[in-house]
Amino acid sequence: MAMTRTTHTFCRICEALCGLQVTVENGRVVGIEPDAAHVATQGFGCMKGLKQHHLFQSPDRLRHPLKRVGRDWQRIPWEQALAEIGEKVRRLRTQLSPDSIAMYVGTAAGFGVLHPVFAQGFMTAVGSKSMYASATQDCASKFAAARHIYGFPFTQPFPDIDRTQCLIIVGANPVISKWSFLQVPHAPKRLKELEARGGKLFIVDPRRTETAKVAGRHVFIRPNTDVFFFLSFLHELLASGGVDAGRVAQFMTGLDEIARLAQSWPAERTAAVTRIPAVTLREMVAAYRTASGAALYCSTGVNMGTNGTLAFWLQEVINAISGNLDRFGGTLVGRGIIDFAKFGVKNGLLMRNDRSRIGDFTAVNDAFPGGILADEILTPGARQVRALFVTGGNPLITMPNAARLRQALEQLELLVVLDIFRNETASCAHYVLPCTVPLERPDLPFIFPLMLGLQLRPYLQATERVVDADGEQRDEATIYLDLCRAAGVSLFGSKPAQRLLQLAKMVHAARHPRRQPSIPQEALLSLLLRATRHGSFRKLLGHPHGLLREPHRENDFLGQRVVTDDGKVHLAPPVLLQQAAKLEADYAQEIVERDRLKLISKRAVHTHNSWTHNDEEFISGGRDTNHLYLHPDDAARLGLREGDIADVSTDTATVRVPVRLLDDLMLGTAAMPHGWGHQHATGLSVAAKTKGVNVNLLAADGADRLERVSGMAHLTGIPVEVRPAAGPRAAENWSGIASA
Ligand code: SF4
C-alpha cells in the first residue's frame, strides 16, 4: 500500500521563497502545490517551483562521486574522492601557494544557510583569498556602492512597495524575475494595488516588459544609458528644490559634491543618449517629488551595464536626499535576526580589501571578479590559480567569454565541481561530487531574509528535509568539512571547530545509519537561532506556514545603523566621484554609437539562470532554444524575417540564432535570453539536445573590460552586429553553437 504524506516547506530556487505544500509517496515527491496558508507568500508559486521535483528526480541526477579518466567517467567511493582531492590540495598549497587554490561560488549556494558558510570556511582553512563569485555577473555593483555609501555591502534599502505612492522601476522585470534583493510574493498584484490606491508607477526599460504590461506607465530608455537617466533625475530634483535639507544635514555628508556632479547633466542633454524626452523625465521627477513616499528601484538591467555601480549610487543618493530613505512609502532598511552590518564591520566579514593579482581589483564581499578568472588561471606567476572548486554555479554558461574560460579550465591541475548534475562546467571537471537538493536538506530562508530582513513582510520559517536523497548525495557543508580533513587543514583555521564538527558528524551518522553521513544540520541551524534569541529550529518547525516577525519600522536606520566611520550616509564617496570622471567620455562614445544595435538580456519564465532545461516539460512546444528578438523595423533594415537565422557578432564571438520579431522592443535594441548553450554538457541528456546558444559567449572578459569599482562584467546593452546567417542552407545547418 502506498505511504502518502503531505508536508510544508519553502522553495529555494529564487528570492520569492514561496511556501510550498509537498506530497510525498513512498519516499518520492509526487506533487507540489503553493501553500495557501503561508504567512507571506499566501498561495503564490510558479512553474519552476511547482515542478522542481521533475528536475530533481531526473535519471541524469548525480548520485555518486565521479572521476574523469580520459574521456570516461568512473564511479568512485566518497573516501577515494576526498582522499585524492585532499592530497592534491595539500600538494598545491605547500608547493605553490594557498592562493593557487580558488573557488567559484554560484547563486545556488546562497539559497542555503550552511553551504556558503562552510565553503568560505574551507577557503579560510586552505588560507586562500582566491574567491570568485557569480555576483560579478549580476549584482556586485550594488554591494560595492553600498559599502561606500552606508559602510557595509549588505546594507540594501528596498522600496516599501505596499505603502509607496510613487515607484520608478529601472531595468527590472519583477513580474518574471520576482524582484531581487527583496522578497515580494505576487509582484503583479502588488503593482496593481499601488495604482489602485492612486500611486504612480513608471517602468523604465528598453523593452515593454511583462511588468510594464501589468501596470504603470512604460518609458523607453536606450540600453546602457541608465547612469545618464539618474544623473538628470538628480539634476532636476535639485533644480526643483526636492531636497530634504534637515534630514540631509542631520544624517548625510557630501551634498555639495554631488550637486556639483549633477550640475552639468540637465534633462535636455541626457535625452540625446537615453532618448527619454526632457519633458517626460521632468514629469517623473515631479511625480516622485510630490508623492508622500516615493522610491527608485533598479536591478540587473542596470547592474549589468558598464556603469552599474555609478547608477545605483545615484539612485541611492536621490532616495536619500529627497527624504525618502528610512521613511514609510520610500525605502526601508530591514532588520535580520542580527544587526548584520554591525557584526560584519566588527568582525571584518565581507569587508576585506584584498587586491587581485590580475587587474588590481578590490574584492567585493571578499570575492574577486569572475571576469578575470580565466586570466588568473592562464597567467604564470606567484598566486597563479591551479585548482578550482565550483560550488552552486555553472560559470561556463554564466560568465563572460565562456569559450576562453573553457580553455582556461582545461589547463587546471584540479577542477572539482559540487553539483546536482554533470552540467557544462562539471563536464570539464576532474572530480564531480553529488550534492543534495533543497528538498533533501533542512534549512532556514537564505541570507537576505535571515540576516537582512529583505522581505516585504518579515517572517521566519524552518523546514526539515522533505525526502531523503536517492543515492550517495551529500550536503555541501559536510563535503567541505570532509575536504578540510582530507587536506589536513581545519575549517575556518580552527582545530577545535574541525574536531567538534567531525565528532558531531560521527554521532549524527551513528544515529542515522541508513543515510549518507552528515553534520547535524538542524542542530547547527538551531544554534544560529538560539544565539540570536530566535528560539530553536524545532520550535520554528511548529509554524509550518512561517512565523511573522515584527513589521518594518521607519526612522529605524539613519543615525542608528549606518556603519560608516562617522555614522552618516556618504553621498559622495571619493572612489565613486573619481569613477564618475569617466562619464563625459562615456557620453561622447554613446553619441558616436547612437545608431548601433545594442543587445539586452531577457529572462524567460520557465528558465532560471543556467538550469531547468533538462526536463521535457520546460522545453517542449518550441521552447527548446532561445531566440534573437528584433523590432520589426530593425529586422527589415537588416534583411531578416521571423524564423530566419541570424549571426550575432561582437569583438569577442559570433553566435547563430533564430530570429523572432517583437514590437515591444525600442528601436535599436535586440534581446536574447541567457542560460542556454548546453551542447557541451555530457550529463544533461535532455538539455544537451536543445539548440539554444549561450549569449554570454558574446561578452568580453579580462581586466580592461570590467567595471572598475565592482568588477562587474558587461553583460547587457552590448553593441552587436547582426546579419543573416551566411550560407544558402543556414537554417538547416544551424546548431546553436558559436560559429566563431
Ligand atoms: S517564484 Fe517560483 S521559483 Fe521563485 S520561489 Fe516561488 S515557486 Fe520558487
Side-chain angles (χ1 to χ4, degrees), residues 60-77 80-81 84-85 388 390 396 406 409-410 414-419 421-434 680-684:
D60 290 340
R61 176 84 189 277
L62 284 167
R63 291 179 170 84
H64 313 281
L66 296 176
K67 176 181 182 178
R68 186 159 56 82
V69 182
R71 297 170 81 92
D72 298 326
W73 292 93
Q74 253 180 24
R75 175 178 164 179
I76 58 170
Q80 181 188 343
E84 290 183 9
I85 296 166
L388 179 67
V390 175
L396 279 186
R406 175 179 296 281
L409 296 187
E410 285 165 0
L414 176 66
L415 176 58
V416 181
V417 174
L418 284 71
D419 212 292
F421 289 111
R422 206 167 71 227
N423 60 22
E424 295 73 12
T425 307
S427 297
C428 296
H430 299 102
Y431 297 89
V432 181
L433 304 180
H680 289 296
T682 58
L684 299 173

Side-chain angles (χ1 to χ4, degrees), residues 135-141 303-305 705-707 710-714:
T136 48
Q137 278 102 258
D138 59 9
C139 62
S141 49
N303 306 348
M304 289 156 50
R705 303 297 289 268
L706 306 181
E707 202 253 273
S710 65
M712 286 281 298
H714 181 197

Side-chain angles (χ1 to χ4, degrees), residues 99-154:
D99 286 334
S100 68
I101 299 151
M103 179 177 283
Y104 175 89
V105 184
T107 310
F111 283 90
V113 174
L114 299 176
H115 180 173
V117 173
F118 278 68
Q120 179 58 62
F122 171 72
M123 290 299 277
T124 307
V126 168
S128 171
K129 295 187 285 296
S130 300
M131 268 299 232
Y132 300 85
S134 57
T136 48
Q137 278 102 258
D138 59 9
C139 62
S141 49
K142 288 190 169 183
F143 293 124
R147 181 168 174 186
H148 292 293
I149 304 167
Y150 305 115
F152 189 61
F154 277 76

